[in-house]
Amino acid sequence: MIVVMRSGFAQAELDHVTATVAQAGLRSQITLGENQAIVGVIGVPITDQLQETLGVLPGVEQVLRVSKRYKLASRDFHPEDTRFPVGPIIIGGDAVVVIAGPCSVESEEGFLHAAEAARAAGATMLRGGAYKPRTSPYEFRGLGERGLEIMARVRERTGLPIITEVMAPADVALVASYADVLQIGARNAQNYLLLEAAGAAGKPVMLKRGMSVTAEEWLLAAEYIMASGQPHVLLCERGIRTFETATRNTLDLSMVPLIKKLSHLPIAIDPSHGTGRSDLVPAMALAAVAAGADALMIEIHPNPDKALSDGAQSLNPAQFADLMPRLGTVASAIGRRLATIAEPVAAD
Ligand code: PEP
Ligand code: MN
C-alpha cells in the first residue's frame, strides 16, 4: 500500500502517517519529491481498516493498494527514475555508464592492463571477478580475497570504481569492504538469503537476471535487496536460456523498455554473457544503448585467447577502443551521452 501526501503537506502530517503505520506493526519507506512525499507501507497484514484510517489523516491525498507483488521496486511507489552515485559517477542519469574489465581477476599485471585499456577508451567503472561461479568445479574459480586486493589497488591507480561478484552470504561483508558495487550473478539471482545479506551490506547492488527468471521474479528479487535496506539497485540483463545454441544465451533487450515501465530502477545490459561471442558484442552493445539501457557491462581482456574464463566473449583493448565512440554516437542520437569522469586520477 502507498500513501500519497498532498503537495505542500506538513512534516507533522507525514510523521502522523508513519506513526499510524508503526502502530499497526508495519514499516514506512518514504520517497520525497519536490513538495511531494509517498509513503510505502511494508509488511503484513495490510488491512482495509488501515487503508481507511490513513485515508482520512490530514495531509493525505490518497491511499493506494499496489497490486504488484513488488512494491519498493515498482514505478507506482517511486514514479521518478532512481539515480545514485558510485564514486565519481551517477548510475541512472542521462549519461550511460560503461563498465568494463575482465571476467576474472587473474593477476595484478593483467588486471591493471585491462583497467588502463578500459579507462583510456572512456569506461567509467571496472569489473572483475574474484569469486567466480563456474559451471565445472575444475575450472578457474577466482583468486578470492587476493583478487579483491588487486582490484582495490587498481581502483587507486585508475580512479575508477569497482564492481565484483559476491556468491555467498558469508562473503558479503568481506566483498563489501572492497567493492563499490556488489554484483549478484545470474546463478544466484533467486538466492534469497544472499539477496538479503547483500541488501543489508550498505553498498549498491547490481542484480543480474537469472537464466530462467521472468521480469516479475527479477523485480521480486530486487525487492528482497530493497526490503533489506538498500534502495540503490542496478538491474542487469545478461541473456536467458532458450532453445538457441548458436549464442551462449539469448539477450532479451526488450527488458529495457519493459523494466522502465514497471520499475524506477536503472537497467544495464551485459552483451558479453548475453551472446558469448566477441564478434556479436559490439552490435548488441550499440542496440542496448539505442534501447535505452542506463549502463553496459562489457568483458575485455588484454589477450582474450589466454583468458582463464570467458575469453571467447571478451573484446581485446583495440576492439573496445573502437566500440566506445560508436556507443557515444548512438547515445547522442537518443539524447544521451556516455558518462565521463571529470578529472581522472593519473595512472602513476
Ligand atoms: C560474470 O559477470 O562474469 C558472470 C559470471 O555473469 P553471469 O552471472 O551473468 O553469468
Ligand atoms: Mn564472465
Side-chain angles (χ1 to χ4, degrees):
M1 186 157 69
I2 59 177
V3 181
V4 183
M5 302 299 292
R6 287 211 179 95
S7 77
F9 66 92
Q11 181 62 41
E13 293 170 339
L14 180 60
D15 293 345
H16 195 172
V17 168
T18 54
T20 308
V21 170
Q23 265 163 22
L26 302 166
R27 271 196 308 124
S28 296
Q29 183 116 359
I30 301 168
T31 307
L32 289 174
E34 267 180 45
N35 268 328
Q36 246 242 323
I38 296 179
V39 182
V41 181
I42 320 288
V44 279
I46 290 175
T47 59
D48 292 344
Q49 201 207 325
L50 179 64
Q51 184 171 6
E52 277 172 35
T53 308
L54 291 169
V56 296
L57 291 184
V60 170
E61 182 161 303
Q62 52 176 339
V63 181
L64 302 168
R65 290 283 186 148
V66 178
S67 53
K68 301 202 175 65
R69 292 164 75 201
Y70 48 88
K71 309 205 185 297
L72 301 175
S74 95
R75 211 174 280 254
D76 303 341
F77 169 58
H78 190 295
E80 311 259 299
D81 287 347
T82 279
R83 31 187 300 166
F84 56 88
V86 175
I89 55 163
I90 302 282
I91 294 193
D94 287 343
V96 179
V97 173
V98 180
I99 307 164
C103 180
S104 312
V105 178
E106 301 169 358
S107 67
E108 182 140 3
E109 195 195 2
F111 187 67
L112 181 61
H113 187 151
E116 285 182 334
R119 193 188 63 167
T124 43
M125 204 189 305
L126 298 176
R127 63 148 287 142
Y131 295 88
K132 293 303 305 176
R134 300 306 302 272
T135 302
S136 160
Y138 306 120
E139 288 165 356
F140 177 63
R141 292 164 68 185
L143 297 178
E145 188 170 3
R146 200 156 70 78
L148 299 176
E149 287 165 4
I150 290 171
M151 293 189 84
R153 282 196 291 274
V154 170
R155 168 177 51 203
E156 288 300 302
R157 292 188 62 158
T158 59
L160 300 187
I162 57 177
I163 173 167
T164 194
E165 178 162 356
V166 58
M167 286 172 53
D171 295 337
V172 166
L174 178 75
V175 178
S177 73
Y178 289 94
D180 297 292
V181 179
L182 296 172
Q183 174 172 332
I184 305 281
R187 291 158 189 81
N188 272 315
Q190 292 179 295
N191 180 341
Y192 299 118
L193 296 181
L194 179 61
L195 296 172
E196 287 183 326
K203 289 281 167 84
V205 178
M206 187 182 84
L207 173 63
K208 287 200 159 190
R209 181 182 183 189
M211 293 177 213
S212 62
V213 160
T214 64
E216 185 189 40
E217 289 165 341
W218 193 12
L219 290 169
L220 283 165
E223 190 82 9
Y224 269 89
I225 298 170
M226 301 177 85
S228 304
Q230 181 51 255
H232 297 158
V233 177
L234 171 63
L235 299 165
C236 178
E237 160 66 32
R238 46 77 73 203
I240 50 174
R241 187 61 72 81
T242 68
F243 58 83
E244 182 56 75
T245 53
T247 47
R248 182 177 178 186
N249 291 292
T250 298
L251 185 62
D252 186 1
L253 285 182
S254 63
M255 279 300 131
V256 176
L258 180 69
I259 289 293
K260 291 211 165 283
K261 282 227 157 99
L262 300 176
S263 176
H264 52 91
L265 294 174
I267 179 167
I269 291 290
D270 170 353
S272 307
H273 294 85
T275 61
R277 295 176 44 156
S278 60
D279 58 338
L280 306 185
V281 166
M284 296 315 285
L286 292 162
V289 174
D294 299 295
L296 294 173
M297 175 176 260
I298 299 178
E299 287 186 339
I300 65 170
H301 193 282
N303 187 353
D305 292 344
K306 295 265 158 49
L308 297 181
S309 61
D310 287 349
Q313 66 193 34
S314 299
L315 300 184
N316 65 33
Q319 290 166 329
F320 183 64
D322 179 63
L323 173 61
M324 285 296 283
R326 299 167 64 211
L327 293 173
T329 304
V330 174
S332 63
I334 59 157
R336 294 180 92 174
R337 60 195 159 81
L338 295 191
T340 51
I341 289 192
E343 287 173 55
V345 172
D348 41 28

